[in-house]
Amino acid sequence: MKKKLISLAMLVAVFAMQVVGVSAASKTATMAVVGNSKGYYEVDAMDQEELNTVAAVDKTAADLIKDINAGTKTLEDLAKAESSIASEIEGKSLVTAFMDLRKIGDVSKTADGKYQVTLSVPALTKGMTDVKVLHFSTERKVWEVITPSNVDLDNKEITFELQDLSPIAIIAKVDASQAVTNTTGTSPKTGVDSTNTVPFAGVAVVLLGAAAVVAFRKKNA
């Protein structure tokens, strides 16, 4: 019996490690530069260096971006902290995590002095409406919600204009009946990063451990 319990304990540990491993592996890029924007702009996951750049101008914004990407805070928390955009993000969910958008070399602006960018957003689905770009301007130190000039749900692409380049996320209203469809790990129903599965690994360990105890008691009953 002792050997069986040890084997079960090892199985629990392996299972937990696999869940955490899947969590880390699924954190892939949620947006990519496409079309005429390719070669002129790049978009990458927020790393500590980029968060530090945001923190240098607004630590509160940097903390919000970090926590939202980690899944510990939501758009509701952002709305409470930034009343200026609260009404614009009300009823919306995160489609992507925050990512850093920047230009490559010299880039021509539009006639009204803005950068025009087209991104591929694999998480976009036909169940989404009122798609917007949530942007924190490190240059102007403000949050803003941008209405795209074009949203192509069939090809999962979005085109929009910004005055300056810095962290962005895509948000939208989502049909409540729609299942999680974002293959990169963000649940469009909740806007919370569903790749943060470490808590579920802990639950699995507890449940399997409890099962082992029950099995042991039945054996010795």
Side-chain angles (χ1 to χ4, degrees):
M1 174 56 66
K2 184 177 180 180
K3 289 183 178 180
K4 289 184 178 180
L5 288 176
I6 292 175
S7 297
L8 184 56
M10 292 176 65
L11 179 62
V12 170
V14 170
F15 177 78
M17 290 174 66
Q18 287 179 336
V19 172
V20 174
V22 170
S23 171
S26 60
K27 286 185 177 294
T28 56
T30 56
M31 292 182 277
V33 178
V34 295
N36 293 332
S37 297
K38 199 169 184 178
Y40 295 98
Y41 302 95
E42 56 186 5
V43 59
D44 292 313
M46 296 289 296
D47 59 22
Q48 190 58 52
E49 181 179 351
E50 288 152 351
L51 285 170
N52 289 342
T53 298
V54 178
V57 298
D58 191 321
K59 188 177 185 304
T60 299
D63 289 342
L64 280 167
I65 291 172
K66 180 180 179 179
D67 291 343
I68 289 174
N69 278 0
T72 57
K73 287 191 176 180
T74 67
L75 287 181
E76 290 184 2
D77 295 301
L78 175 58
K80 291 176 182 177
E82 297 294 332
S83 59
S84 61
I85 59 170
S87 62
E88 296 181 90
I89 62 179
E90 182 180 2
K92 294 184 176 65
S93 298
L94 281 166
V95 178
T96 71
F98 278 98
M99 299 184 72
D100 189 54
L101 177 64
R102 55 184 177 272
K103 63 180 181 177
I104 302 174
D106 293 329
V107 177
S108 298
K109 295 184 179 182
T110 61
D112 55 352
K114 294 184 178 180
Y115 297 102
Q116 185 177 70
V117 184
T118 299
L119 298 177
S120 167
V121 185
L124 285 176
T125 70
K126 292 184 178 180
M128 297 177 183
T129 58
D130 199 19
V131 180
K132 304 285 187 180
V133 178
L134 179 57
H135 175 230
F136 177 72
S137 169
T138 53
E139 185 174 318
R140 290 173 287 127
K141 303 178 184 179
V142 296
W143 285 95
E144 60 185 355
V145 178
I146 299 167
T147 300
S149 56
N150 184 60
V151 176
D152 186 342
L153 295 178
D154 290 326
N155 292 313
K156 301 180 183 297
E157 293 181 0
I158 182 173
T159 299
F160 54 95
E161 291 79 38
L162 305 96
Q163 188 172 330
D164 44 78
L165 306 172
S166 39
I168 62 167
I170 307 303
I171 60 176
K173 289 183 178 179
V174 183
D175 186 339
S177 64
Q178 182 178 322
V180 176
T181 56
N182 183 354
T183 58
T184 61
T186 300
S187 165
K189 291 181 68 176
T190 64
V192 176
D193 188 354
S194 62
T195 61
N196 188 17
T197 53
V198 175
F200 295 101
V203 172
V205 170
V206 172
L207 291 177
L208 288 174
V213 171
V214 172
F216 178 76
R217 289 179 176 175
K218 286 185 176 180
K219 183 71 175 180
N220 289 275

